[in-house]
Amino acid sequence: MSAVMTPAMRSFESQWQGRRADALSPWRESAMQRFLALGVPTVHDDSWRYTNMRVLQAQSFRDAGANDSALSAPGDASWLTDQGRIPSILIVNGHPRLSAVAAQIDGFEIRSLRELVATEPSRLSRYLEATSDADQRRWELLNTALFADGLHIEIKRPIDTPLCLVHLTGGAGEGNAAYPRVIISAAPGSRATIIEHHLNVGTEATLCNSFTQAELGAGAQLEHYRVFTGHEDATQFDSLDVVQDRDSSCRQFTIALGGSVLRTTLQSRLGEAGAALDSYSLLVGHGERHVDSVVIATHGAPATRSRQTARSVASGSSRTIFNSKVIVSAGASKSDSQQSCRGILLSPTAEIDSRPQLEIHTDEVKCAHGATTGRLDPEMYFYLLSRGLDRDTAQSLLIFAFVADVLTRISLPAARAAIETALIAQLPNAELLRAFR
Amino acid sequence: MLKITNLHVSVAGKQILNGVNLSVNAGEVHAIMGPNGSGKSTLAQVLAGREDYQVTSGAVIFEGRDLLAMPAEERARAGFFLGFQYPVEIPGVNNVYLLKAALNAKRKSAGLPEVDAYEFLSLIKEKMKFMHMSESFLTRGVNEGFSGGEKKRNEVLQMLVLEPKLAILDETDSGLDIDALKIVSEGVNSLRGPQRATILVTHYQRLLDYIAPDQVHVLGGGRILKSGDKSLALELEKRGYDWLVESAVA
Ligand SMILES: Nc1ncnc2c1ncn2[C@@H]1O[C@H](COP(=O)(O)OP(=O)(O)OP(=O)(O)O)[C@@H](O)[C@H]1O
Ligand SMILES: [Mg+2]
């Protein structure tokens, strides 16, 4: 069986045909064949029911290449580097420019995937193996087939300095496509903070199909941020897979502030006892943006813990979707999970969908979930009015208070301030909110 | 100062107030008592401008203005204050920011400039000291995680900062320990004056030992069943409400 050959599919196939063989070709070949057989997901695929690929199917994409960008310093591109104080690596269309600074942070060992493919491919092949749910993970298959370069980051011990990866996608002309791949391996007992900032060069239609895999050894702690600020014609599919060993902990922030169509996936496998995931999602629908976010926590061992907190704010005719799922496998007793998804609609033409789901295959678990979508809390609103605040101020304050559930959890002050600033610009009465801070 | 005439109010299609008449003059303190569910909070909330409560007939004049025609925020700026029976928690909105925004909204409508940041802080600190509140409450979210009594103190703190002409305190005394009751009473008394008035909604005669009311009213069946002086509160303490409610029905 093979999928309908739309312009998009044809263009992916021709990118594949233009690839040179490398040591990972067998894995790439099987991923590509599988992708070509399955095709782009459709709304009939359960996990894609809210995101229609019709527009994308009519587009044609080509390899964006490494050198199209006029920007050379990551600090010029990203406002998440605290004006250059946070060491960063610029990744242009998936091709890292390994700067001397970032490569030398004590405790990190950072190498390009291109180099590793050439020198030690055996260290990479296992990351390219098809997973059991590969049929549902088609963009990951395509990334595996087509990534030209990327980063392998080893975290060797506890590191206080955060690292920022600045992903730039785009270039001259329409239809630039990039396939950034990042592999993070945290040694037992290590600790680090990694920020991935996705943004665009130029204003023309682009596709970024990014995939990050993280492995946390026993007791390792990873704080991971992914912040999306693409332009109005940018399509992005981003996946983050986390595999967690005993007593490891992952704090993950997904901040959606840009793009035309943005789909983010987080899958964490809590594979050993004591592993914990805290995921925070801030999904901001603005203009005609479409944000579709999926978080799946799989409790594969006893006494594992997951928390999913999502806050969506949708204005204009935007749409935000948050699908969260907790799977408690057989034998994962004493698992503890909570899902809290809340949304606020700021316009009658905006739409928010939240679907918290639970799949439990064992007894003796503690799982709670809740989802609400609505307008601002009328009790809070009345309280503020009753103190004389005008309606715009009251509304803005409450919106800001609503997203505080995520913002206040950000532990890097500079990142929080920068995210707040970008967020405020997309909320009603931005000037009022600036004064409030 | 306040004149309520034949006020009828329904909530979610249910008639709650059935012709309330009440006059409060400047300089006075009134107490409103009455059984649970008799409509005391409904009256207070309607006066504060809650929009989901429907006034089906009647009139309210506050300082010569048609109160019911004013939106909630304008009532506050004109000097009306409601101390909520259940103050809502607003995590993420800073307590002191709310106070400042509220004070500035009022000043702005009076044609005054915004309060100076330094002056404001020293004013707040003084009032907090008066209310025996620790300064840690400055930085917390509005009522966020406050105990029941702390929330009530915070309401009175807001009142002291805003210096309203007319305050309705809806069971501000409920849930207060004995010391807090005294502090809150001192707060209320400190605002007493010939230009101001207070309405206390309460279930307890004890509050009236600290804040002597000029009049006591009993609300029942959606209207004022009986009014009297302070001795009425003492009588209610002894006899309960049944005798009033029964005679009203009869
Ligand atoms: N949203 C609503 N829908 C239906 N009934 C309501 C609603 N809000 C209030 N009521 C009813 O209105 C009546 C009056 O309520 P209110 O809160 O004014 O009483 P109260 O006198 O303040 O009582 P308490 O002493 O217990 O504070 C009650 O019977 C209450 O159940
Ligand atoms: Mg009440």
Side-chain angles (χ1 to χ4, degrees):
Chain A
M1 191 194 88
S2 78
V4 185
M5 287 312 275
T6 59
M9 286 299 288
R10 266 195 293 275
S11 70
F12 295 136
E13 192 175 30
S14 91
Q15 285 172 54
W16 167 245
Q17 281 155 358
R19 284 287 190 274
R20 255 192 246 143
D22 65 20
L24 299 174
S25 288
W27 290 270
R28 293 177 182 275
E29 172 81 36
S30 81
M32 191 66 202
Q33 291 316 324
R34 199 149 174 182
F35 177 79
L36 287 172
L38 293 162
V40 165
T42 72
V43 289
H44 302 297
D45 297 293
D46 189 52
S47 135
W48 286 84
R49 59 197 272 191
Y50 296 102
T51 299
N52 197 316
M53 297 281 97
R54 231 176 15 228
V55 173
L56 177 125
Q57 287 278 34
Q59 287 171 277
S60 217
F61 299 97
R62 62 193 168 81
D63 251 310
N67 44 22
D68 258 339
S69 167
L71 291 158
S72 54
D76 296 346
S78 169
W79 38 255
L80 275 167
T81 65
D82 193 15
Q83 291 165 345
R85 277 185 282 272
I86 295 178
S88 48
I89 300 173
L90 188 64
I91 301 172
V92 180
N93 295 322
H95 300 265
R97 296 186 184 171
L98 276 175
S99 68
V101 193
Q104 277 167 16
I105 305 172
D106 206 29
F108 281 121
E109 189 173 307
I110 302 170
R111 298 168 76 183
S112 81
L113 291 182
R114 184 190 283 267
E115 181 202 330
L116 269 184
V117 174
T119 57
E120 296 177 76
S122 58
R123 286 180 63 187
L124 293 179
S125 52
R126 66 193 172 96
Y127 297 102
L128 273 60
E129 297 285 354
T131 49
S132 58
D133 59 350
D135 286 358
Q136 271 85 58
R137 313 207 60 198
R138 307 198 192 156
W139 295 112
E140 292 86 336
L141 289 172
L142 188 65
N143 177 288
T144 291
L146 295 179
F147 76 84
D149 201 348
L151 282 182
H152 185 276
I153 302 173
E154 270 186 85
I155 306 166
K156 309 192 104 141
R157 52 181 160 271
I159 305 169
D160 292 324
T161 314
L163 174 67
C164 185
L165 311 181
V166 180
H167 292 279
L168 276 177
T169 300
E174 278 214 345
N176 279 294
Y179 305 89
R181 181 78 163 233
V182 175
I183 295 170
I184 299 168
S185 172
S190 67
R191 168 172 49 79
T193 297
I194 293 178
I195 303 167
E196 296 194 63
H197 186 184
H198 288 273
L199 58 164
N200 295 114
V201 190
T203 56
E204 288 185 282
T206 56
L207 169 65
C208 182
N209 174 15
S210 44
F211 188 13
T212 296
Q213 290 159 292
E215 286 176 338
L216 310 193
Q221 295 174 26
L222 176 68
E223 184 155 314
H224 181 272
Y225 296 82
R226 47 180 177 171
V227 181
F228 301 92
T229 60
H231 64 54
E232 286 170 10
D233 224 346
T235 300
Q236 175 135 22
F237 308 121
D238 181 75
S239 279
L240 170 61
D241 281 14
V242 187
V243 178
Q244 299 189 231
D245 290 354
R246 174 175 287 270
D247 296 327
S248 64
S249 99
C250 178
R251 274 164 60 79
Q252 205 288 321
F253 291 84
T254 298
I255 313 281
L257 287 166
S260 156
V261 174
L262 170 61
R263 157 85 171 204
T264 70
T265 305
L266 164 62
Q267 296 204 4
S268 168
R269 180 168 171 81
L270 302 159
E272 292 184 4
L277 168 74
D278 285 283
S279 93
Y280 300 94
S281 307
L282 177 59
L283 311 178
V284 181
H286 187 250
E288 299 187 357
R289 188 179 303 150
H290 180 102
V291 182
D292 180 349
S293 200
V294 177
V295 176
I296 302 173
T298 304
H299 292 254
T304 44
R305 199 185 73 100
S306 69
R307 295 285 179 272
Q308 304 178 1
T309 305
R311 296 291 177 264
S312 304
V313 180
S315 60
S317 54
S318 66
R319 186 158 187 208
T320 74
I321 299 120
F322 184 74
N323 272 306
S324 76
K325 192 168 182 179
V326 168
I327 302 169
V328 181
S329 312
S333 58
K334 299 202 170 64
S335 289
D336 173 5
S337 80
Q338 276 177 27
Q339 305 171 70
S340 153
C341 341
R342 290 169 52 199
I344 287 190
L345 286 166
L346 297 178
S347 98
T349 46
E351 195 178 329
I352 295 178
D353 296 280
S354 287
R355 262 211 312 176
Q357 299 173 76
L358 270 175
E359 200 182 295
I360 301 178
H361 302 281
T362 188
D363 300 330
E364 227 200 305
V365 295
K366 216 167 93 191
C367 296
H369 67 93
T372 59
T373 295
R375 321 241 157 231
L376 295 169
D377 184 303
E379 302 269 335
M380 296 183 187
Y381 188 55
F382 177 58
Y383 189 87
L384 296 179
L385 295 183
S386 81
R387 296 303 179 243
L389 272 62
D390 64 77
R391 285 170 193 244
D392 281 351
T393 305
Q395 192 195 40
S396 307
L397 282 180
L398 290 179
I399 295 167
F400 203 70
F402 175 79
V403 295
D405 291 345
V406 170
L407 288 180
T408 55
R409 303 310 178 107
I410 297 177
S411 53
L412 290 174
R416 175 175 168 184
I419 289 167
E420 268 182 22
T421 302
L423 166 70
I424 283 172
Q426 296 185 14
L427 295 178
N429 305 308
E431 312 72 47
L432 280 173
L433 285 170
R434 282 189 197 104
F436 169 58
R437 294 168 71 208
Chain B
M1 170 154 309
L2 182 76
K3 191 167 167 57
I4 304 173
T5 314
N6 195 28
L7 186 65
H8 287 69
V9 171
S10 69
V11 179
K14 186 178 155 197
Q15 197 70 31
I16 309 288
L17 298 182
N18 290 304
V20 171
N21 293 292
L22 182 68
S23 284
V24 178
N25 298 313
E28 293 180 348
V29 172
H30 289 231
I32 297 180
M33 306 183 80
N36 292 134
S38 58
K40 303 179 297 296
S41 294
T42 304
L43 176 63
Q45 302 256 337
V46 162
L47 294 177
R50 242 185 104 137
E51 281 157 22
D52 50 342
Y53 288 14
Q54 262 181 324
V55 176
T56 48
S57 69
V60 180
I61 305 297
F62 172 61
E63 296 265 281
R65 296 173 71 181
D66 177 0
L67 188 78
L68 299 178
M70 296 158 71
E73 62 274 27
E74 223 177 293
R75 300 182 195 193
R77 294 174 203 156
F80 181 93
F81 181 88
L82 168 63
F84 285 74
Q85 181 175 3
Y86 303 111
V88 64
E89 297 194 20
I90 316 182
V93 173
N94 186 269
N95 206 27
V96 72
Y97 180 83
L98 170 61
L99 278 166
K100 194 170 162 190
L103 183 60
N104 278 333
K106 192 175 170 188
R107 289 175 65 94
K108 192 173 161 196
S109 81
L112 295 168
E114 291 205 342
V115 63
D116 170 79
Y118 179 79
E119 272 173 39
F120 174 73
L121 211 62
S122 53
L123 171 80
I124 294 289
K125 286 185 175 169
E126 175 206 319
K127 303 289 184 196
M128 287 184 92
K129 209 166 162 187
F130 187 79
M131 290 308 296
H132 294 243
M133 288 173 79
S134 117
E135 282 180 17
S136 66
F137 288 101
L138 283 174
T139 50
R140 286 167 69 175
V142 174
N143 294 319
E144 187 182 3
F146 289 21
S147 75
E150 288 165 352
K151 284 180 184 165
K152 299 299 177 71
R153 278 193 224 195
N154 200 37
E155 294 290 288
V156 178
L157 173 71
Q158 294 179 11
M159 181 184 79
L160 294 182
V161 170
L162 295 174
E163 300 185 326
K165 288 186 184 131
L166 175 65
I168 297 195
L169 300 177
D170 190 358
E171 294 199 29
T172 303
D173 56 329
S174 296
L176 291 183
D177 63 43
I178 300 158
D179 292 336
L181 185 65
K182 272 190 205 157
I183 293 161
V184 163
S185 303
E186 275 167 33
V188 174
N189 284 328
S190 76
L191 268 190
R192 277 182 95 153
Q195 307 306 320
R196 301 183 204 282
T198 308
I199 300 173
L200 303 169
V201 174
T202 183
H203 286 296
Y204 306 105
Q205 196 281 131
R206 158 175 243 136
L207 175 71
L208 307 179
D209 286 341
Y210 294 107
I211 312 170
D214 298 288
Q215 285 188 53
V216 176
H217 312 277
V218 179
L219 194 66
R223 63 182 79 186
I224 305 276
L225 296 178
K226 193 171 173 67
S227 299
D229 61 14
K230 192 175 173 268
S231 64
L232 177 57
L234 289 165
E235 191 174 1
L236 291 169
E237 183 97 339
K238 282 199 208 89
R239 297 179 66 189
Y241 293 114
D242 283 357
W243 59 285
L244 279 173
V245 177
E246 273 156 24
S247 65
V249 173

